[in-house]
Amino acid sequence: MLPRGPDTPPNSPPPGPSEDGVALSEAEIAVHWREEERYPPPPAFVAQANLTDPTVTERFSEPHFPECFGAFGELLTWDRRWRQVLDASNPPFYRWFVGGLLNASANCLDRHLAKFGSKPAFLFVPEPESEPTTALTYEELHARVNETASVLRTDVGLRAGDRVTIHLPMTPELPVTMLACARLGVVHSVVFGGFSGEAAGRRAADSGSRVLVTMDGYYRNGRLLDHRSLADATVESARREGQTIDTVLVWQRHPDRYLSASPPVPGRDRLFADLLRGRRGTRVPPVPMPAEAPLFLMYTSGTTGRPKGCQHATGGYLAYVAATARWILDLRPSDVYWCLADIGWITGHSYLVYGPLALAATSVLYEGVPTFPDAGRPWRIAERLGVNIFHTSPTAIRQLRRLGPEAPAQHRLRFKAMTTVGEPIEPEAWRWYYTSVGRGAAVVTDTWWQTETGGFLCSTKPALDPMKPGSTGPALPGIYPVIMDENGREIPAGANRAGNLCIRNPWPGLMSTIWGDPERFKRIYFEKYNRRPESKDWRDWPYFAGDGAVQSADGYYRILGRVDDVINVAGHRLGAKEIESACLTVPEIAEAAVVPVADELRGRVPELYVTLRPGIVARPEIERKVVRAVETEIGKIARPRAVRFVSDMPKTRSGKIMRRVLAAISNTLEVGDVSTLANPEVVEQIRAQVRGASPGPARPPPDDLREFGTTE
Ligand code: PRX
């Protein structure tokens, strides 16, 4: 079940039973809330905002759908204009801007050259403070993208439609490589730089990439990391899945040095520095691509072990991120914008690369962690570079607040707009962000969306709607959400009752499909609330987002967290099955179950329960092996807070592990009725063991949360 809203009478029935065997979801361990105060948009912001027309919601209302989205398409430059805004004849597979031809790199670069050629596209800030910031103008970026595209086409033989896996840190080479691919119509699949080689290899195999792009090393948290060494594991893990990577292209963090301890592999690895020699000034014409051609794949965790390659289309995606960056981030060419998200996640793709570049903005690109070498770093950078739009996650906000609550006050900050994204933000953290970072003069947008959705779906319209701490806001113009209960009934709008957040209509940023698996796409996102599988009407195909939410009377949505087997760690999605599969690579482990635990800084952290094979006795070395396996298979981001050895797992009669019960124990919540389990007696044993072993979760849930774990 989901938590109840503040207005739900205590004895009213829960909104619906949760699915059998599904973990006690994130939504169920959501923090308690009350109705928060509202803050009007600062007048100085309103006076200059991009979106001030209050009729926008009406203009994008259902009677005007889908033609209203034509305005988004108008923001782009087309080689051939579209014939039809939306082809919805085969739901849930939608085609936007049908008949249109365009190139994403030309839209992000070429069309800006005449007016903004000498303006920085990126201000690259290396993590070491001793290294200077470098500006990369639109002209320079255009030149580098062309030269790189020439290498990809001529030396590597890549053509439109081919896939390339990019495993790079946060340096200019990452957007350069992405745009070089886009220029050729090559589909890029960027894997977060912090992911392990194994994780990158599995994704490369799924996408069918024969080319991997990597870098020798980079700086993170004061250390120089050897990144190139991961490539061998990537190639090997792709090979195990039947995919040959024949070419590894290596950028160098410092052009005159090779930082990695592992030397290039002859015949396979090639240094960009060598390939680019003699290519100065080379131009590669942008390839006009059909609007629905895939621009990129972005893998995200799902409920099964296999990550899903979310396939985003060139026209719809680019139009959607350009329009939403303009309206919600209030971005324009004269701004200096800083998005702290890594480009390896969707936020970086949409709101650090494609959205800002489509609008000819200037963006800060920062290599390292925000708190290095201290929590004043972001404010020093923002002051020095004159950043006026700032975009980050609740995890970063919580960390910066904890380590340096007074640090923003020591700098001349002049933010007009600030964004938070990725997880629910506690009202306390929100207020610090608004008051101490924004000085009450900046508007704060809390944007809710997902890898699958391409761009923002819910947020306040910054000049039009008041802000409410902890709530994302109403839906964006043209987005029609609905909250459903488990039985497929709509929860009335504004009822303050928890349920599953869905979007009734398609929109241009929605992914086209899961790479290579359209059936899975249909099943995961659309089957749950589809009553007429044969229907060709989009109204029968609501998009199931997998998040619990409540809508209050003012129309604002409050996101409660995931309702499926996905754990949102510090704003990053990790699949429970993926973590469990990693544990099972340790030979001593018989079964593994991972659960989300509330954490003061990171929102949620994974905690592991494992049983051992017969005859094996628990010992610290096995725990270390489990942690190492998770780090090797996925990356440090998935590192569990604790590994708990148990004699048996709580199971249903059909043998399914009840993560819900384990999650309740880890979060010191009531486990509720366990009499239907096959082995109810283990619950008490595990609880006693966990209680004895640790002081409980980092943030003890308040009393009113204790009911949340009580029913199935
Ligand atoms: O649970 C929601 C949470 O992040 C999930 C999407 O994760 P990902 O695909 O990695 O994209 C992250 C960046 C868009 C959602 O299902 N989430 C995202 N934004 C918010 C949020 N939870 C609460 N408030 C938000 N603003």
Side-chain angles (χ1 to χ4, degrees):
M1 76 181 252
L2 287 159
R4 296 162 190 192
D7 295 340
T8 315
N11 293 326
S12 69
S18 65
E19 284 171 77
D20 176 48
V22 168
L24 181 119
S25 68
E26 291 202 341
E28 286 167 283
I29 50 174
V31 287
H32 180 64
W33 70 91
R34 57 185 170 88
E35 194 58 32
E36 299 290 338
E37 71 285 13
R38 290 153 64 108
Y39 297 72
F45 175 83
V46 177
Q48 58 80 64
N50 284 336
L51 177 62
T52 52
D53 172 11
T55 68
V56 66
T57 306
E58 154 57 24
R59 286 192 287 115
F60 278 75
S61 62
E62 222 168 310
H64 304 287
F65 178 88
E67 299 306 321
C68 53
F69 281 117
F72 285 23
E74 301 293 353
L75 292 175
L76 305 181
T77 303
W78 297 80
D79 296 300
R80 188 175 74 203
R81 203 186 148 77
W82 67 87
R83 290 190 310 274
Q84 192 186 358
V85 172
L86 169 65
D87 171 4
S89 61
N90 183 28
F93 302 96
Y94 303 105
R95 297 164 65 219
W96 287 90
F97 305 115
V98 184
L101 290 176
L102 79 166
N103 182 278
S105 102
N107 270 278
C108 290
L109 300 170
D110 305 49
R111 67 174 179 153
H112 303 319
L113 293 182
K115 209 162 160 200
F116 300 112
S118 55
K119 193 180 89 84
F122 288 114
L123 299 166
F124 172 55
V125 181
E127 195 191 73
E129 283 193 286
S130 54
E131 250 190 74
T133 295
T134 45
L136 199 62
T137 65
Y138 272 90
E139 255 159 28
E140 289 161 344
L141 184 59
H142 178 257
R144 290 197 63 183
V145 166
N146 272 276
E147 290 153 14
T148 306
S150 164
V151 168
L152 297 182
R153 191 182 60 177
T154 315
D155 295 78
V156 191
L158 289 168
R159 294 287 176 270
D162 292 346
R163 281 82 54 210
V164 167
T165 295
I166 303 177
H167 197 198
L168 287 175
M170 284 284 283
T171 64
E173 287 70 21
L174 177 46
V176 163
T177 313
M178 290 163 71
L179 292 166
C181 289
R183 199 162 188 85
L184 302 173
V186 168
V187 182
H188 59 71
S189 171
V190 177
V191 177
F192 170 53
F195 271 149
S196 65
E198 278 80 356
R202 284 195 297 273
R203 286 156 176 79
D206 188 87
S207 67
S209 301
R210 50 165 272 262
V211 178
L212 170 73
V213 181
T214 186
M215 184 171 262
D216 56 350
Y218 65 102
Y219 299 92
R220 191 149 181 96
N221 226 355
R223 291 195 306 143
L224 177 62
L225 302 186
D226 183 344
H227 189 65
R228 154 63 187 80
S229 62
L230 304 182
D232 299 328
T234 305
V235 171
E236 176 52 26
S237 101
R239 194 195 55 77
R240 273 199 307 271
E241 311 232 342
Q243 176 65 34
T244 303
I245 294 179
D246 59 36
T247 304
V248 176
L249 299 169
V250 187
W251 289 104
Q252 282 153 270
R253 172 64 179 78
H254 299 284
D256 54 340
R257 276 180 274 163
Y258 182 74
L259 299 175
S260 174
S262 43
V265 174
R268 186 195 75 184
D269 295 9
R270 306 177 77 178
L271 299 181
F272 265 110
D274 296 338
L275 297 166
L276 285 166
R277 208 162 286 134
R279 277 222 159 71
R280 248 193 119 82
T282 311
R283 292 289 177 265
V284 175
V287 178
M289 298 297 292
E292 65 266 29
L295 175 62
F296 66 85
L297 308 179
M298 162 71 52
Y299 281 85
T300 190
S301 298
T303 47
T304 66
R306 219 154 37 96
K308 308 173 284 214
C310 296
Q311 177 180 325
H312 282 286
T314 311
Y317 170 83
L318 197 61
Y320 197 72
V321 296
T324 50
R326 186 172 160 133
W327 279 357
I328 306 299
L329 301 176
D330 203 58
L331 203 53
R332 74 192 78 197
S334 54
D335 292 317
V336 181
Y337 164 70
W338 185 9
C339 173
L340 268 131
D342 196 291
I343 294 174
W345 304 105
I346 192 70
T347 303
H349 272 49
S350 300
Y351 298 114
L352 179 44
V353 178
Y354 286 112
L357 293 177
L359 299 178
T362 294
S363 298
V364 175
L365 175 62
Y366 174 54
E367 176 178 31
V369 295
T371 50
F372 179 83
D374 56 71
R377 185 77 190 274
W379 320 128
R380 290 199 290 282
I381 294 173
E383 179 177 19
R384 181 165 58 85
L385 300 179
V387 174
N388 69 338
I389 308 181
F390 190 70
H391 189 158
T392 192
S393 64
T395 289
I397 295 168
R398 290 190 287 259
Q399 252 158 3
L400 291 167
R401 175 177 179 226
R402 190 165 87 160
L403 297 175
E406 309 301 335
Q410 292 154 23
H411 296 273
R412 271 184 302 124
L413 301 177
R414 51 179 199 97
F415 298 131
K416 69 164 183 174
M418 307 191 308
T419 292
T420 150
V421 63
E423 327 146 59
I425 184 165
E426 300 72 14
E428 270 315 297
W430 189 97
R431 280 189 277 272
W432 177 79
Y433 194 40
Y434 175 74
T435 311
S436 299
V437 181
R439 315 264 152 98
V443 80
V444 175
T445 45
D446 180 337
T447 58
W448 172 77
W449 59 295
Q450 311 176 297
T451 305
E452 294 86 339
T453 74
F456 306 145
L457 292 185
C458 287
S459 165
T460 46
K461 295 177 281 304
L464 293 167
D465 303 323
M467 305 164 246
K468 189 159 83 169
S471 292
T472 160
L476 255 63
I479 303 296
Y480 320 133
V482 59
I483 299 181
M484 308 284 275
D485 72 14
E486 275 301 327
N487 304 319
R489 283 187 305 254
E490 285 190 19
I491 294 177
N496 241 327
R497 267 174 51 203
N500 293 324
L501 185 51
C502 298
I503 310 294
R504 287 196 293 114
N505 62 306
W507 64 96
L510 173 64
M511 64 194 277
S512 322
T513 186
I514 292 178
W515 175 258
D517 202 346
E519 277 311 307
R520 193 172 170 213
F521 173 67
K522 201 162 155 178
R523 194 173 64 244
I524 295 178
Y525 302 108
F526 299 95
E527 236 161 45
K528 190 170 173 80
Y529 292 118
N530 174 268
R531 289 215 191 89
R532 302 198 303 136
E534 74 294 344
S535 169
K536 295 291 174 199
D537 185 344
W538 60 261
R539 289 168 193 79
D540 286 316
W541 295 88
Y543 168 81
F544 169 68
D547 276 339
V550 294
Q551 189 189 27
S552 56
D554 58 10
Y556 281 34
Y557 293 91
R558 182 161 186 137
I559 308 298
L560 303 170
R562 301 293 305 181
V563 298
D564 54 13
D565 294 352
V566 168
I567 304 178
N568 186 334
V569 179
H572 303 311
R573 267 162 76 174
L574 300 174
K577 284 266 162 52
E578 231 182 323
I579 299 177
E580 290 163 0
S581 309
C583 298
L584 295 179
T585 63
V586 177
E588 289 89 344
I589 303 297
E591 295 167 307
V594 65
V595 298
V597 181
D599 180 82
E600 204 177 319
L601 278 187
R602 289 151 65 80
R604 301 283 183 265
V605 287
E607 196 163 283
L608 272 168
Y609 287 82
V610 292
T611 60
L612 297 169
R613 285 188 191 279
I616 309 269
V617 180
R619 48 183 198 275
E621 181 213 330
I622 303 179
E623 176 173 350
R624 281 195 296 275
K625 272 193 190 174
V626 168
V627 171
R628 211 177 315 127
V630 171
E631 289 183 357
T632 310
E633 292 294 319
I634 303 166
K636 284 209 164 59
I637 189 164
R639 190 194 186 108
R641 194 178 70 130
V643 179
R644 304 195 186 280
F645 295 99
V646 293
S647 57
D648 195 5
M649 298 279 190
K651 286 189 188 134
T652 61
R653 297 221 165 97
S654 60
K656 229 173 183 173
I657 298 177
M658 290 296 292
R659 291 204 207 95
R660 189 184 66 71
V661 171
L662 298 171
I665 294 172
S666 284
N667 287 281
T668 61
L669 302 168
E670 290 302 325
V671 293
D673 180 11
V674 292
S675 58
T676 56
L677 293 187
N679 52 354
E681 67 290 347
V682 301
V683 176
E684 245 341 284
Q685 281 171 24
I686 297 175
R687 199 197 338 238
Q689 183 187 339
V690 169
R691 255 202 218 124
S694 86
R699 180 172 53 196
D703 280 348
D704 44 69
L705 261 176
R706 296 188 183 276
E707 65 181 276
F708 293 158
T710 51
T711 27
E712 246 304 280

